[in-house]
Amino acid sequence: MIKIFNKISLALMFIIVVIIIKPQNTYASLALSQNGMNNPSAWAKEEIDKAKEIDLIPERIQGDYRNNITREEFSELAVSLYEILGGKEIMLEKEKPFTDTQNPKVIMANKLGIVSGKENGIFAPDENITREQVSVIIYRTLQVAKPKYSYSDLYEYKFQDYNLISPWAKEAVGYLYGVEVISGVGDDGFNPNGYTSREEAIILVKRMYDKVLASERTSRNGLTVSRSATVNRQEDSLMAKLKNLVPKELGKPYKWGGIGPNSYDCSGLVYSLFAKLGIELPRTSRSQASAGAYVSKQDLQYGDIVFFARNGKTINHVGIYVGNGEFVHAPQSGDVVKITTLMSGYYANSYYTARRVLP
């Protein structure tokens, strides 16, 4: 009797454990589904929701938004953009340009001249697509959907890795950058061979759609490459790079004649930092005072070069303004590269002039 009771007790305990654990497992699976790769990132959600509203996203790529997008998937996305921009209908008869995919959207994109295959009739549909390939496909899609647009006003932005962009992609990259559809990554690079996630690809295509819509609302014959906007973006990019470089030099010792990378004199620090931005300056502080354009003390902005004259007329020191009334400099022997105020004390009294060399 006791053995039977013990068996019943064990069975009941097992049932209770199952009842308790199973909902937890269910909730855990649900949580993983809700927080996993299936949903877009927080920064992308709003734009992706808008893209869904206008039927821009093919059903097969609605999900797994953080995965890299493939050549086949992006071809479908490009065709959706073509159709939503009012591209002409195209008839497909018995075209079979590729041996490894019969996807009608890929075939349509190929017939439109938006995408092309590789050697021997191969398309490689499951291969991840690169950033420069994405740029070219978006650019070609715009061209075939809007053939009456003017594409003569191009801009060629010199990313840090510009030389890595394939020659056949440079026009597309430059145009899309000029109309503010694409931007760089990291330290003012483009990363042409990097892959693109589904959510990134969707947002780029949605951005192209938005640009066309805004342009046609103002009755323009095409998109306008904003050279002033591009210059501002270039300036912002150089300033951001300088802000990243300055902290790396702090604490390095002063050395007369030093231009880095381990020690500097005052003009050597300025010379070296701007050289890393692609801006060539004279080597000495007095010569640097003739570079760029004059800027008044009250109009100083990050990156302006500030000069000092101990006797009020002969420049003997130089640094770079870093905001908040401060500048970075290599002061003197026995000291290190550091940030100092120019609003009071010796450097306020010996302040002489400033020059702006950022574009």
Side-chain angles (χ1 to χ4, degrees):
M1 187 72 180
I2 294 174
K3 290 182 178 180
I4 295 173
F5 178 78
N6 288 338
K7 288 181 179 180
I8 293 172
S9 297
L10 286 171
L12 288 172
M13 287 177 65
F14 177 77
I15 293 170
I16 291 169
V17 169
V18 169
I19 292 171
I20 293 172
I21 292 176
K22 188 169 182 178
Q24 290 178 340
N25 288 338
T26 302
Y27 295 142
S29 300
L30 181 60
L32 287 172
S33 174
Q34 290 174 340
N35 298 321
M37 300 285 285
N38 195 50
N39 293 323
S41 302
W43 59 268
K45 187 178 186 307
E46 182 178 354
E47 286 303 301
I48 288 177
D49 287 344
K50 290 178 181 177
K52 286 181 181 179
E53 290 175 6
I54 59 174
D55 293 325
L56 185 58
I57 312 175
E59 185 174 350
R60 74 186 297 250
I61 64 171
Q62 293 186 22
D64 296 328
Y65 291 105
R66 303 178 208 183
N67 288 345
N68 290 331
I69 195 166
T70 66
R71 284 168 51 82
E72 183 172 53
E73 291 167 349
F74 194 75
S75 298
E76 291 190 21
L77 190 56
V79 169
S80 290
L81 176 63
Y82 172 81
E83 292 173 339
I84 203 169
L85 289 181
K88 294 180 180 179
E89 290 187 16
I90 182 169
M91 298 297 296
L92 298 178
E93 297 177 355
K94 297 182 179 179
E95 289 93 340
K96 291 185 178 181
F98 306 115
T99 59
D100 55 351
T101 179
Q102 299 306 313
N103 186 319
K105 296 294 186 181
V106 173
I107 296 172
M108 180 177 176
N110 177 252
K111 190 169 184 177
L112 287 168
I114 294 173
V115 302
S116 57
K118 301 191 174 185
E119 296 179 353
N120 303 319
I122 298 297
F123 183 72
D126 298 324
E127 189 176 287
N128 290 330
I129 194 167
T130 66
R131 282 173 53 80
E132 65 178 8
Q133 290 170 346
V134 163
S135 301
V136 169
I137 292 174
I138 293 176
Y139 183 52
R140 288 177 180 172
T141 302
L142 178 64
Q143 287 179 309
V144 296
K146 300 295 181 182
K148 294 183 179 180
Y149 277 14
S150 172
Y151 297 95
S152 59
D153 191 15
L154 299 174
Y155 185 82
E156 203 169 61
Y157 180 71
K158 301 290 185 180
F159 292 100
Q160 290 295 319
D161 54 358
Y162 178 81
N163 290 335
L164 298 180
I165 301 174
S166 300
W168 48 264
K170 287 181 176 178
E171 180 179 312
V173 171
Y175 184 85
L176 295 186
Y177 185 89
V179 297
E180 300 181 334
V181 168
I182 63 169
S183 57
V185 296
D187 194 11
D188 193 32
F190 182 70
N191 190 21
N193 295 312
Y195 297 137
T196 301
S197 66
R198 283 183 174 183
E199 60 189 6
E200 290 169 336
I202 291 167
I203 287 174
L204 287 174
V205 170
K206 167 66 164 48
R207 196 176 293 165
M208 185 79 267
Y209 165 78
D210 289 340
K211 293 291 181 181
V212 171
L213 192 64
S215 174
E216 296 193 342
R217 281 174 178 167
T218 57
S219 301
R220 293 176 184 168
N221 187 26
L223 302 180
T224 301
V225 174
S226 176
R227 295 186 183 276
S228 60
T230 304
V231 168
N232 288 338
R233 293 172 77 189
Q234 181 183 17
E235 180 179 346
D236 290 344
S237 176
L238 289 176
M239 191 177 296
K241 186 174 182 180
L242 181 60
K243 289 180 179 180
N244 183 56
L245 290 172
V246 166
K248 298 176 182 178
E249 307 304 331
L250 297 178
K252 293 183 178 180
Y254 176 95
K255 180 182 179 181
W256 187 85
I259 58 171
N262 299 316
S263 58
Y264 301 92
D265 64 13
C266 65
S267 58
L269 176 66
V270 174
Y271 174 84
S272 176
L273 283 174
F274 280 95
K276 292 177 181 178
L277 303 180
I279 298 173
E280 186 176 350
L281 294 177
R283 173 62 183 87
T284 67
S285 58
R286 293 180 190 178
S287 298
Q288 288 170 355
S290 63
Y294 167 77
V295 58
S296 64
K297 190 174 183 179
Q298 61 266 28
D299 293 326
L300 287 173
Q301 68 178 29
Y302 197 105
D304 289 339
I305 305 176
V306 289
F307 298 88
F308 304 87
R310 185 170 45 241
N311 60 6
K313 57 183 180 181
T314 304
I315 293 172
N316 70 301
H317 192 57
V318 63
I320 301 172
Y321 186 71
V322 294
N324 299 318
E326 297 178 324
F327 70 108
V328 63
H329 64 139
Q332 58 190 356
S333 296
D335 212 334
V336 297
V337 175
K338 62 185 180 182
I339 293 175
T340 303
T341 182
L342 54 74
M343 306 308 290
S344 61
Y346 172 80
Y347 292 107
N349 295 329
S350 61
Y351 179 87
Y352 185 75
T353 190
R355 308 290 291 185
R356 182 167 295 163
V357 297
L358 287 176

